[in-house]
Amino acid sequence: MLGLETFKTVVASSPLVSIDLIVRNRQKQVLLGLRSNSPAQGFWFVPGGRIQKDERVENAFRRLVKVELGCDASFVQARFLGPYQHFYPDNFFGDNFSTHYVVLGYELELDISLNDLPADQHQDYRWFTVDELLASQQVHQHTKDYFSDGS
């Protein structure tokens, strides 16, 4: 693991690589969490997180499903949606520099109880229809981008 100061330098100087989890239930609703931390603090957003150095994408996927959703899912269950770019004017540290992510979007179907979800990154969770999330001013644009083709 990187020390805090080293990680700050990385965030200020380089893009981060992450995975976003686009989770749908059987009713095709999408799971969103209300972000507790920057970037995107206070917005509804899909769960996800950074890939760590020397971590294979498949292992990062399994780790993030466990940490972000509190359950297990196999990498082969997911459908790769493609790469996305997320630019934020702020960062986790609150310092005066931006955050840049190269995000790998993966969609999977899971029926999860909202009561069982971890509260580390999100202060609340909710299932949205695609129409609801696209219409909401409180859903972050980067989340809306996963559905901009009408899927």
Side-chain angles (χ1 to χ4, degrees), residues 12 15 23 56 70 79 86 117 123 139:
V23 179
R56 297 184 64 80
R79 181 172 71 96
H86 294 182
L117 292 165
Q123 55 189 295
V139 173

Side-chain angles (χ1 to χ4, degrees), residues 1-148:
M1 276 319 250
L2 293 176
L4 190 60
E5 288 305 312
T6 303
F7 185 55
K8 276 174 96 170
T9 301
V10 170
V11 173
S13 308
S14 178
L16 303 171
V17 181
S18 66
I19 293 174
D20 272 358
L21 304 168
I22 295 79
V23 179
R24 294 186 191 241
N25 61 17
R26 283 187 212 139
Q27 292 77 37
K28 302 300 179 199
Q29 296 169 311
V30 180
L31 177 68
L32 300 182
L34 186 59
R35 293 271 308 152
S36 299
N37 303 315
S38 292
Q41 183 178 26
F43 283 95
W44 291 96
F45 212 95
V46 295
R50 292 182 303 274
I51 298 172
Q52 299 171 353
K53 175 141 173 65
D54 296 325
E55 184 177 36
R56 297 184 64 80
V57 172
E58 300 86 353
N59 294 340
F61 174 87
R62 282 191 298 275
R63 176 182 57 80
L64 290 167
V65 167
K66 187 68 164 176
V67 168
E68 293 280 313
L69 304 175
C71 64
D72 295 310
S74 166
F75 187 64
V76 297
Q77 286 177 261
R79 181 172 71 96
F80 181 58
L81 300 178
Y84 295 81
Q85 296 184 75
H86 294 182
F87 297 93
Y88 302 95
D90 60 350
N91 62 79
F92 176 80
F93 304 102
D95 291 348
N96 193 23
F97 56 86
S98 64
T99 306
H100 173 194
Y101 283 96
V102 175
V103 183
L104 307 176
Y106 287 92
E107 182 179 64
L108 64 162
E109 185 177 303
L110 294 171
D111 282 309
I112 301 173
S113 168
L114 298 180
N115 297 328
D116 297 335
L117 292 165
D120 296 342
Q121 297 293 322
H122 300 95
Q123 55 189 295
D124 195 11
Y125 291 92
R126 193 180 139 200
W127 292 104
F128 284 77
T129 66
V130 171
D131 288 342
E132 286 174 331
L133 72 85
L134 289 173
S136 175
Q137 296 292 327
Q138 295 204 285
V139 173
H140 198 280
Q141 183 59 49
H142 291 323
T143 290
K144 291 179 181 185
D145 290 345
Y146 293 117
F147 307 96
S148 61

